[in-house]
Amino acid sequence: PFNTTAVPSDADILCGRGRKHANHAGNKMFMEIIRSHVQSYSAASRRVEKSAVVINVVQEVLASGARFFKRQGEEKTKWIVMNKE
């Protein structure tokens, strides 16, 4: 479900900045997927083509079982799932 509180696994992508997020296993996997699509994205000349590459990246991530998470709450102590299932 969309925007549900949950506990991220090592396979999930944590949205945010900093070393903690960059070193998370799921974020490293996400960066590898992005790197594998950089050439296609760069070769795309129109916005619709670039959007198609981005959609492919997101679909590949979701097909792997990973989820996108962001911090929520006043003190940013909860993680919520960002993607629709």
Side-chain angles (χ1 to χ4, degrees), residues 13-69:
I13 293 94
L14 307 179
C15 296
R17 295 170 50 171
R19 189 171 289 161
K20 181 179 178 181
H21 294 95
N23 289 331
H24 182 71
N27 289 45
K28 289 180 179 181
M29 178 267 312
F30 184 45
M31 289 306 299
E32 286 301 316
I33 292 172
I34 290 172
R35 283 187 197 100
S36 73
H37 288 82
V38 165
Q39 189 172 1
S40 299
Y41 186 87
S42 296
S45 58
R46 297 180 357 205
R47 179 178 286 175
V48 67
E49 295 167 338
K50 290 184 182 293
S51 293
V53 174
V54 172
I55 289 168
N56 287 338
V57 168
V58 172
Q59 287 175 340
E60 190 173 331
V61 168
L62 297 178
S64 76
R67 301 168 293 175
F68 290 90
F69 277 82

